[in-house]
Amino acid sequence: MTEQPQQPPQPGYGYPQPPGYPAGAPPQGAPQGGFAAPGGYPQGGYPPGGYAGPGGYPPPPGTYTGDPHAPYGYDPYGRPYSDKSKIVAGVLQLTLGTLGVGRFYMGSVGIGLAQLFTCGGFGIWALIDGIMLLVSDSQTDGQGRILRG
């Protein structure tokens, strides 16, 4: 039986160490607290102090922030919440959509009138519109604010 030649030890998990550096030593210019990730972002979590809000964290979505343009707060994307509910608008549209009531509730008077005069697109438009109001997270009211869930 022939003996296999000795192979060098294989690297562990993760990215290989750049050549010329001892194992475990950070490369020159690496941020303090860890190695630079492949995209150039430092490892090690959030900066000291966290967010710049009361208690170090942003307010929960939907809470009053004192902003008159967003009395119900902001969503996680920074868009202001409306005083209207998407659940109420969706149920109104499903039940009374042939009269455009859900759209009148949201403040979309033009679309509400169009649904009123066409009987909600013979019911098909009202049904699809009601379902879209219930499942979508990007529906806005007449003033362009996101409907609350």
Side-chain angles (χ1 to χ4, degrees), residues 31-37 40-51 57:
Q32 199 171 19
F35 294 106
Y41 296 104
Q43 298 283 334
Y46 294 108
Y51 291 106
Y57 296 102

Side-chain angles (χ1 to χ4, degrees), residues 104-131:
F104 284 123
Y105 167 75
M106 291 172 39
S108 302
V109 178
I111 295 176
L113 286 173
Q115 289 182 346
L116 176 66
F117 293 136
T118 62
C119 293
F122 301 110
I124 296 171
W125 182 11
L127 176 69
I128 293 172
D129 201 22
I131 292 171

Side-chain angles (χ1 to χ4, degrees), residues 16-22 27:
Q17 182 72 17
Y21 294 105

Side-chain angles (χ1 to χ4, degrees), residues 19-134:
Y21 294 105
Q28 292 291 341
Q32 199 171 19
F35 294 106
Y41 296 104
Q43 298 283 334
Y46 294 108
Y51 291 106
Y57 296 102
T63 57
Y64 181 69
T65 59
D67 186 359
H69 300 291
Y72 291 93
Y74 295 94
D75 72 346
Y77 297 109
R79 303 174 295 186
Y81 277 125
S82 172
D83 57 338
K84 310 291 186 198
S85 169
K86 76 176 188 175
I87 296 171
V88 172
V91 170
L92 283 173
Q93 192 64 25
L94 286 175
T95 57
L96 300 170
T98 56
L99 302 175
V101 174
R103 287 297 182 158
F104 284 123
Y105 167 75
M106 291 172 39
S108 302
V109 178
I111 295 176
L113 286 173
Q115 289 182 346
L116 176 66
F117 293 136
T118 62
C119 293
F122 301 110
I124 296 171
W125 182 11
L127 176 69
I128 293 172
D129 201 22
I131 292 171
M132 291 299 293
L133 283 170
L134 289 173

